[in-house]
Amino acid sequence: MENSTTGLVTFADIMGWKGIWQRQGISAIDNILSVKNEVTAYGRKYLAMNLYNVFRQRYPSLPERDLGTLRQDFNPMDEAIKKLKSDNAQTNETLRADLNNLMNQNEVILEIDLISDTFIVCITSQHKMTALSMTALINRKLIESCLMKGLLIRGATSYGEYLKKESVFIGPAIDDAASWHEMGQEVIIFLAPSAFLNFEKEICESGEFVKRTVKLKSKTINSYCINWEDPSNLFQKIAMHESPMHPEVADKYLNTLDYLNSQRDT
């Protein structure tokens, strides 16, 4: 597909969004926007620290003031190079080229969009393990941040080509993630076949995922899921306020509870 990007794409939506205005009122909008902002800031901070550590390892003698801003944001490269230029003019061109090369080698593109109650997370990197680890980190944070706001989320991650322009998405990875994400019957973000078949080796090495049977609307599938925990029992507190609990809703709560109980037993 012309001008497309290849990467990991996650679609994840809020369970029970229909009628949430009766439970949370207008604060539901603020809550879901807060989740987006929190997860985006978390991801950018993580990427900034990774980039800082790469540069610091390569140039241990550089003053902290030159590279320290890398820890604060993900796009401080020009400022850092300007400082290096003024302090080290003779080697600036070589240093600039080397720093840009390091940045390109370690670049991770993270984009988090929100369309109504559906999060769309796109992650690309030259290194498959880096992309996979970042996907696990962001999706786990997404589940946890939603719980903190009284929201339950489920989704799926695909792998393939996609094209994004503003808030418009097309491509096989988009179709794949969109098809799978609403099928989950619990709080879960699992890997669609396109993702786990392309990343099977990296999945086994990462330790970020758990392999298990995923319960879908009309069947089950063996896949890999984000390994998440709920030490504060936020899920149970949310479930206790769901009344009446209709059969189609109860299954999702009970499936999630089964997962959490299995995590506590291991």
Side-chain angles (χ1 to χ4, degrees):
M1 194 169 64
E2 188 177 358
N3 298 322
S4 66
T5 300
T6 299
L8 288 158
V9 176
T10 299
F11 270 50
D13 70 347
I14 304 301
M15 294 192 294
W17 186 254
K18 181 180 179 180
I20 197 171
W21 54 273
Q22 295 175 307
R23 301 188 300 276
Q24 293 194 6
I26 194 173
S27 63
I29 297 175
D30 296 329
N31 286 339
I32 197 169
L33 288 174
S34 175
V35 169
K36 178 182 181 292
N37 294 334
E38 180 181 333
V39 175
T40 299
Y42 178 81
R44 289 175 63 88
K45 182 72 173 179
Y46 179 84
L47 292 175
M49 283 300 300
N50 273 5
L51 194 58
Y52 168 83
N53 290 333
V54 168
F55 288 164
R56 174 53 66 206
Q57 184 176 10
R58 182 63 174 267
Y59 297 104
S61 61
L62 283 178
E64 177 65 18
R65 58 186 167 82
D66 288 341
L67 291 180
T69 55
L70 289 171
R71 294 180 301 175
Q72 306 304 319
D73 193 12
F74 190 47
N75 296 312
M77 198 58 206
D78 288 340
E79 287 74 10
I81 290 176
K82 286 176 184 177
K83 292 180 180 180
L84 293 172
K85 182 175 181 179
S86 61
D87 293 343
N88 201 345
Q90 290 183 342
T91 60
N92 174 64
E93 290 305 317
T94 300
L95 190 59
R96 183 189 182 94
D98 196 23
L99 287 172
N100 281 331
N101 185 46
L102 277 174
M103 189 165 124
N104 290 333
Q105 289 177 357
N106 292 275
E107 183 179 29
V108 179
I109 298 174
L110 167 65
E111 297 177 290
I112 301 176
D113 290 271
L114 178 63
I115 300 177
S116 186
D117 69 318
T118 301
F119 290 89
I120 304 175
V121 181
C122 299
I123 296 176
T124 62
S125 173
Q126 294 182 21
H127 305 287
K128 293 180 70 175
M129 180 62 82
T130 301
L132 186 69
S133 296
M134 192 67 194
T135 296
L137 183 89
I138 292 299
N139 288 350
R140 182 181 298 110
K141 182 66 175 177
L142 189 55
I143 291 174
E144 294 171 351
S145 295
C146 281
L147 285 174
M148 291 292 292
K149 295 297 182 180
L151 303 171
L152 304 178
I153 196 166
R154 49 93 185 269
T157 299
S158 67
Y159 175 74
E161 290 183 284
Y162 66 92
L163 186 62
K164 173 183 181 294
K165 188 172 183 179
E166 296 182 14
S167 60
V168 179
F169 301 80
I170 62 171
I174 302 300
D175 294 347
D176 196 23
S179 298
W180 284 99
H181 88 282
E182 289 186 329
M183 297 180 68
Q185 293 296 287
E186 60 185 287
V187 176
I188 191 173
I189 300 180
F190 64 95
L191 299 184
S194 61
F196 71 69
L197 290 175
N198 278 282
F199 285 82
E200 195 161 14
K201 177 184 176 183
E202 289 78 13
I203 291 168
C204 295
E205 293 175 356
S206 73
E208 300 282 355
F209 298 84
V210 56
K211 186 175 184 179
R212 65 185 182 92
T213 300
V214 180
K215 297 174 182 177
L216 306 179
K217 287 184 178 180
S218 58
K219 59 180 180 180
T220 61
I221 181 177
N222 291 322
S223 183
Y224 295 89
C225 312
I226 298 299
N227 192 6
W228 64 279
E229 298 179 354
D230 182 24
S232 300
N233 293 320
L234 294 174
F235 169 76
Q236 287 182 293
K237 293 174 184 176
I238 296 170
M240 288 172 61
H241 287 87
E242 183 67 35
S243 179
M245 189 177 288
H246 300 293
E248 63 273 15
V249 175
D251 282 346
K252 298 181 178 70
Y253 283 91
L254 294 175
N255 291 339
T256 304
L257 190 59
D258 284 345
Y259 164 75
L260 290 172
N261 288 335
S262 69
Q263 287 296 96
R264 297 185 181 105
D265 292 340
T266 57

